[in-house]
Amino acid sequence: VGATLTGLFYDHLGPRFAAALFQERDEAFAWLGRTDTTRVAREVAGILEAARGTPALVRRLRAHLTTAPGRPDLPRAARATGVAARSLQRHLREAGTSFRAEVDRARIALAERMLVGGDAKIEAVARRSGFTSASHLSRTFRRATGETPAEFRKRRRVLPD
């Protein structure tokens, strides 16, 4: 019913602003004429997480893991988020995740950026994003995204005209 009414209003009133749907985030940013995609993508991700009900502590942990150099460490992450390590683990469990899952999520996001933004070999991407090997990256990446890093890179790469 809502879609029908929306369609009727759209047909009679017409759009008041330009709108488009995109499959890929980069296409949407290009359409908007935005070049600062990393910062905007982080802001959008934060807004979406808040709207989806992602707890603030999980958002703080994700921000820490995105910016923290070196090997992820539970006690250090707990200090960065302002809670004890055990409390962080409890809050993550209540949110349906774990420290290990959040570390993997951050590593996958870093690997995605490297795969799309450069020509590094998969082995190098694996090492730089914190995986022990290319096969470890591939297994974790496929579990998280449904495709291998090579498939992801091929699908996301925009070839020049």
Side-chain angles (χ1 to χ4, degrees), residues 29-98:
F29 285 135
W31 185 77
L32 290 170
R34 299 297 299 254
T35 57
D36 54 344
T37 59
T38 303
R39 183 185 60 78
V40 174
R42 253 189 258 125
E43 289 177 22
V44 169
I47 291 166
L48 289 173
E49 287 174 357
R52 290 181 184 136
T54 303
L57 181 63
V58 176
R59 290 194 309 271
R60 287 196 314 268
L61 173 63
R62 288 176 179 173
H64 168 73
L65 291 173
T66 299
T67 59
R71 288 259 190 241
D73 173 70
L74 179 63
R76 189 176 327 134
R79 281 192 302 278
T81 57
V83 297
R86 187 68 191 111
S87 293
L88 177 58
Q89 288 177 314
R90 187 180 67 254
H91 286 289
L92 291 173
R93 187 176 56 252
E94 290 169 359
T97 188
S98 67

